[in-house]
Amino acid sequence: MQTKQILTLEDVKKIAAAAETEANLHKWCVTIAIVDDGGHLMWLQRMDGAAPISSHIAPAKAKTAALGRRESKVYEDIINNGRFSFITAPELEGMLEGGVPIIINGQCLGAVGVSGVKSVEDVQIAKAGIVAIGG
């Protein structure tokens, strides 16, 4: 039988704090979502000034990254490169840049999704959070 790593609440708090620090450093108002490897929400934080819609987009990006085990931008690129039928893929709603999987020792433990600023900045915030637990 194999052993599986999981995100703990302590891990999630470290990720969220580091992501929030990165956002505050640049004065970016965002929503930060963290999900487990099945795409189930473990953390949602909408910073003051973040658009209400971002509280729906960030978890969707995170879920897409966790279930796909890759950054959500991959799916955005697939669609933008002409494979429009991919929009109908089941369970994937956040096919926009800003979802980043949490990969530790080759295993996907979950993902961070960020929404509220330019997508490349969303990714920057997500990755800053993941680094806090060694990812």
Side-chain angles (χ1 to χ4, degrees), residues 27-47:
K27 296 181 172 59
W28 293 333
C29 302
V30 298
T31 295
I32 301 162
I34 304 170
V35 300
D36 67 12
D37 64 331
H40 303 99
L41 189 61
M42 295 182 72
W43 187 273
L44 181 68
Q45 176 179 347
R46 189 173 120 204
M47 298 172 65

